Amino acid sequence: MSPVRRVALTSSAAVAVALGGCASPAEPGGQESTPSGGSSPSEDSSTDTDGPSSRKRHRTRLNSATTAAAQYDYAGALKELKGLTGTDVDALTRKITKQQTNAVTWPDNSQISHLFFHSLIVDADRAFTSQDSAQGYADYMVTIDEFKAVLDSVHEKGYVLVNPRDVARENAQGQMEYVPITLPKGKKPLVISQDDVSYYEYMDGDGFAQSMTLDDDGGVTNTYEDPDGKTVEGSYDMPAVVDDFVEEHPDFSYRGSKGVLALTGYNGVLGYRTSEIEYGDEEDIDLQEQQEQAKGVADELKEDGWVFASHSWGHTNFTKATMTRLTADTQKWDEEVAPILGETDLLIFPFGADIGGTQDYSGPKYDLLEEHGFDFYFGIDTSAPAWGQRTDDYVRQARINVDGLSMSAAMKDDQHVLHDFFDVEEVIDPTRAEHGF
């Protein structure tokens, strides 16, 4: 699992936690979802003996412990407090120890829901009036306001973000096994993912982010061209929006995990035109510079709790493709995308086009994918809130699409699976109706 940089909370939520309040609403059953302590570090004279630098280190470690506990890493939080003294430390230690004692293990890792999205629509007026793509955007995308409303709802319902490597991993014998996920009672693990995080050329000018980039502080943000043609930076797509949400609601992330980003390679990655095959002959594209910029963003995303999945190089239908095409496509991914994103053992099937039914995988297509190191496979199924399968060799998980099509279906059917996660009538953007969708 990629290392996750856990940044100590600096928002008002962190201050509330450190002073004895809550960083987020109480959990079901009255449990608080974040730890609290007694007095603030600056009020504890026992930490003042070595002067301001010692007090600063004390506060930093206290905040790190607070963040770790808020994200359910109780052992890590207590380790952070080890060696510190003071009434604030004692109070926080008691609080975290109680939370650790009361936490429970999720009973069945095959029953973890997975919601997925495509690129977020920033400017619905432009997207829904695109001459060539308006219907596709309405069908397969959600607006940024819809996505934020979904986040609010699943957070309120007690869902917590995990990534697939929190769910399962190889054991010492090389066999896949489920990993215990420990949460307070009433909390539920949830995987989210985003497909096609490559910012395809056809989307230019249609009201979407153009790329991911790094801001002045080294964090991941988006470039976006507003209707006046001005390029600005901000939170205009799923990763940056989720990062902002987790900063405000640290209890929404399990031990720093965020989500899965699925990328193709034929238009490059993350908004950079990195493909030698597609852009090697274009004099106005500096491939090396594009690749280096993309790698810098990818490294930061992994550091911040995101994981990458292959979505194939050419958005290939794995059900219909011949072995010749799959072999060539997989090689292109290995040569052009893996060097930028790093190796991944996650495969998200384009179109949800799986290589088999619910029976165990077998055959040449699976043999090819196993040879290339894939351990996690993701299809699409909206018939149930969650579905998973584990063998000694791999883990499968069904994903639920959140988009215009699924929301429209849910509006017509009160038994639709989306109702487990949010009220569609409250989430859906009125701009859809204004444009006839």
Side-chain angles (χ1 to χ4, degrees):
M1 179 175 176
S2 300
V4 174
R5 183 185 62 201
R6 183 179 283 118
V7 180
L9 306 179
T10 56
S11 64
S12 58
V15 176
V17 171
L19 296 180
C22 287
S24 61
E27 301 164 14
Q31 287 183 315
E32 293 176 343
S33 60
T34 54
S36 61
S39 58
S40 67
S42 59
E43 294 172 343
D44 193 328
S45 60
S46 66
T47 66
D48 294 347
T49 55
D50 293 331
S53 62
S54 178
R55 293 195 297 272
K56 182 177 180 180
R57 289 193 298 272
H58 182 97
R59 286 193 297 270
T60 297
R61 289 179 60 184
L62 202 69
N63 286 341
S64 294
T66 298
T67 304
Q71 297 184 338
Y72 318 107
D73 183 6
Y74 306 118
L78 293 173
K79 183 178 180 180
E80 191 69 42
L81 294 175
K82 191 173 182 179
L84 296 181
T85 59
T87 57
D88 51 354
V89 176
D90 294 341
L92 187 55
T93 299
R94 288 193 298 270
K95 182 79 173 184
I96 295 171
T97 300
K98 182 178 180 180
Q99 289 178 327
Q100 185 179 42
T101 301
N102 291 336
V104 296
T105 299
W106 181 252
D108 185 356
N109 283 20
S110 73
Q111 295 299 300
I112 294 176
S113 299
H114 185 150
L115 303 179
F116 84 93
F117 306 81
H118 286 90
S119 297
L120 303 183
I121 298 169
V122 182
D123 186 341
D125 288 331
R126 281 195 283 169
F128 294 153
T129 56
S130 170
Q131 184 174 355
D132 299 321
S133 305
Q135 187 66 59
Y137 294 150
D139 286 347
Y140 299 113
M141 273 68 161
V142 299
T143 69
I144 198 165
D145 287 340
E146 289 170 337
F147 180 70
K148 289 179 178 179
V150 171
L151 289 185
D152 284 333
S153 178
V154 294
H155 178 247
E156 289 173 3
K157 289 178 179 292
Y159 285 100
V160 176
L161 296 183
V162 299
N163 76 51
R165 293 175 191 142
D166 297 320
V167 176
R169 65 177 67 119
E170 283 190 355
N171 61 23
Q173 290 72 44
Q175 298 174 335
M176 295 298 291
E177 64 179 11
Y178 284 136
V179 178
I181 296 175
T182 304
L183 293 165
K185 293 178 181 178
K187 293 289 187 180
K188 299 169 283 188
L190 172 71
V191 179
I192 62 171
S193 60
Q194 183 176 21
D195 285 3
D196 302 316
V197 192
S198 297
Y199 303 98
Y200 297 132
E201 291 179 342
Y202 80 85
M203 300 164 65
D204 286 349
D206 285 350
F208 294 86
Q210 293 178 305
S211 68
M212 291 187 194
T213 189
L214 301 179
D215 62 22
D216 292 340
D217 297 323
V220 175
T221 185
N222 296 109
T223 57
Y224 169 71
E225 187 177 288
D226 68 17
D228 296 324
K230 180 181 178 182
T231 299
V232 295
E233 291 187 358
S235 299
Y236 296 115
D237 205 7
M238 191 175 102
V241 173
V242 170
D243 286 350
D244 292 344
F245 193 88
V246 169
E247 183 176 0
E248 184 177 356
H249 305 284
D251 62 312
F252 190 49
S253 170
Y254 181 72
R255 303 185 181 186
S257 291
K258 301 289 180 57
V260 183
L261 304 178
L263 286 82
T264 58
Y266 67 94
N267 262 181
V269 298
L270 303 174
Y272 299 90
R273 304 309 170 207
T274 55
S275 171
E276 176 76 31
I277 296 170
E278 293 293 310
Y279 304 105
D281 295 331
E282 297 195 18
E283 296 181 357
D284 59 338
I285 294 180
D286 186 333
L287 277 174
Q288 183 176 353
E289 180 182 6
Q290 293 282 297
Q291 291 164 358
E292 289 175 355
Q293 290 179 355
K295 188 177 186 307
V297 174
D299 289 346
E300 181 63 24
L301 284 164
K302 289 185 288 187
E303 192 77 9
D304 199 34
W306 295 91
V307 296
F308 289 112
S310 170
H311 204 40
S312 81
W313 183 89
H315 207 272
T316 300
N317 185 314
F318 279 70
T319 303
K320 297 180 179 180
T322 65
M323 281 299 300
T324 299
R325 179 170 181 183
L326 285 185
T327 300
D329 186 277
T330 306
Q331 183 175 351
K332 290 176 183 177
W333 168 274
D334 289 345
E335 293 176 351
E336 290 204 339
V337 184
I340 297 171
L341 304 183
E343 299 294 333
T344 181
D345 57 353
L346 281 65
L347 176 64
I348 289 179
F349 293 110
F351 314 105
D354 209 325
I355 58 171
T358 57
Q359 71 276 13
D360 289 358
Y361 284 149
S362 62
K365 290 183 179 180
Y366 171 66
D367 293 341
L368 172 68
L369 297 176
E370 182 184 37
E371 180 183 343
H372 281 267
F374 291 111
D375 295 320
F376 296 86
Y377 299 88
F378 303 88
I380 298 175
D381 180 10
T382 61
S383 66
W387 179 85
Q389 181 188 75
R390 181 190 63 82
T391 73
D392 288 344
D393 298 318
Y394 60 81
V395 168
R396 298 172 67 186
Q397 190 178 63
R399 304 190 303 154
I400 299 167
N401 54 303
V402 182
D403 52 29
L405 290 174
S406 64
M407 289 194 295
S408 177
M411 294 275 280
K412 301 171 185 175
D413 180 4
D414 61 7
Q415 298 300 313
H416 195 279
V417 68
L418 288 188
H419 294 301
D420 283 32
F421 305 98
F422 56 89
D423 184 329
V424 181
E425 291 187 0
E426 293 183 2
V427 164
I428 201 159
D429 195 319
T431 311
R432 290 181 179 272
E434 293 171 10
H435 290 286
F437 297 115

